[in-house]
Amino acid sequence: MSSAVPPAASVLFGERLPLASRYAELLVTDGVVRGLIGPREAPRIWDRHLLNCATMSELIPSGASVVDVGSGAGLPGIVLAVARPDLSMVLVEPLARRTAFLAEVVASLGLDDTVTVVRGRAEEVRDALVPADVVTARAVAPLDRLAGWCLPLTAPGGRLLALKGASASDEVAEHQTAIGRLGGATPVVRHCGVGLVDPPTTVVEIVRERVVAPANPRPAGRGGRRPTSDGGGGRGRSRRG
């Protein structure tokens, strides 16, 4: 069973709180059994995971197209799709056992009209996807590598939103030159959910200022796996991995 639902969840999910609760149950049952969530995470699934992801919704404009890179068990992608039915969401994940879980969650929660699951790595699927208004990622990689994977999936003028921890400012200082070479603006550290969750969620925001040709072309014809859609609707748009 998941831990008690905190008051902030009602604010963040509104009338879709029952759907968020259902997702929490899937995470702490099937998610744990299938090795997607650690058993010790179950008691803090709301505070550490769902609320942490849901707060970043305040940075995403209405009706935006979103690609979640390295979606794993659906954090933050599924959380954002539950909290924000106005978003068109693509979940990109390279591991088959995770994409299978994501497709089952999308079907179970009735998110098929707004969410698509795509198996593949970001660098493999970038040519197959329509550039998104927003690209999200949580605990995937250092900022320079993350920008290299995610900015090509982002529409010019769109934003990469990377969920980070206490070292976010240090990462920004270390990698902002590399991010600039990749076409990104100077990263900005945002704090989401101030006064609602403690501690607030730390998000690094990077605007894609210009298009830069990827250093390594998308692998093709070398026996690599083609990106595949594993479930969901997503308004007919196949997405990233």
Side-chain angles (χ1 to χ4, degrees), residues 27-232:
L27 286 175
V28 302
T29 52
D30 287 357
V32 170
V33 170
R34 295 158 75 166
L36 303 179
I37 294 289
R40 288 184 293 184
E41 297 303 303
R44 49 187 182 177
I45 198 70
W46 284 100
D47 291 332
R48 185 177 176 88
H49 298 287
L50 273 68
L51 300 187
N52 179 259
C53 293
T55 56
M56 70 186 300
S57 173
E58 66 189 60
L59 299 177
I60 303 177
S62 177
S65 59
V66 183
V67 171
D68 185 35
V69 170
S71 200
L75 304 166
I78 292 288
V79 175
L80 292 172
V82 170
R84 293 280 303 277
D86 60 297
L87 303 178
S88 176
M89 178 70 62
V90 177
L91 309 178
V92 175
E93 169 56 48
L95 296 185
R97 65 186 177 90
R98 292 177 181 169
T99 55
F101 176 78
L102 290 171
E104 292 167 20
V105 169
V106 167
S108 177
L109 301 183
L111 300 174
D112 308 74
D113 289 342
T114 59
V115 181
T116 301
V117 179
V118 172
R119 184 183 173 197
R121 299 182 184 279
E123 62 271 29
E124 295 170 341
V125 304
R126 61 193 175 206
D127 293 338
L129 302 178
V130 177
D133 300 319
V134 175
V135 176
T136 59
R138 182 183 193 234
V140 172
L143 275 178
D144 56 343
R145 277 192 284 159
L146 195 61
W149 296 335
C150 295
L151 287 178
L153 302 177
T154 310
R159 292 173 292 162
L160 164 61
L161 300 177
L163 278 156
K164 288 290 182 177
S167 63
S169 295
D170 293 335
E171 277 201 64
V172 166
E174 181 179 357
H175 299 302
Q176 63 180 349
T177 300
I179 290 167
R181 288 197 296 266
L182 293 165
T186 300
V188 177
V189 178
R190 307 286 190 192
H191 298 288
C192 303
V194 176
L196 191 60
V197 297
D198 186 23
T201 302
T202 300
V203 177
V204 176
E205 179 184 71
I206 303 173
V207 174
R208 189 184 192 191
E209 284 191 323
R210 65 190 191 284
V211 176
V212 175
N216 297 308
R218 174 178 173 268
R222 297 185 297 177
R225 182 184 65 251
R226 292 175 66 96
T228 58
S229 176
D230 288 331

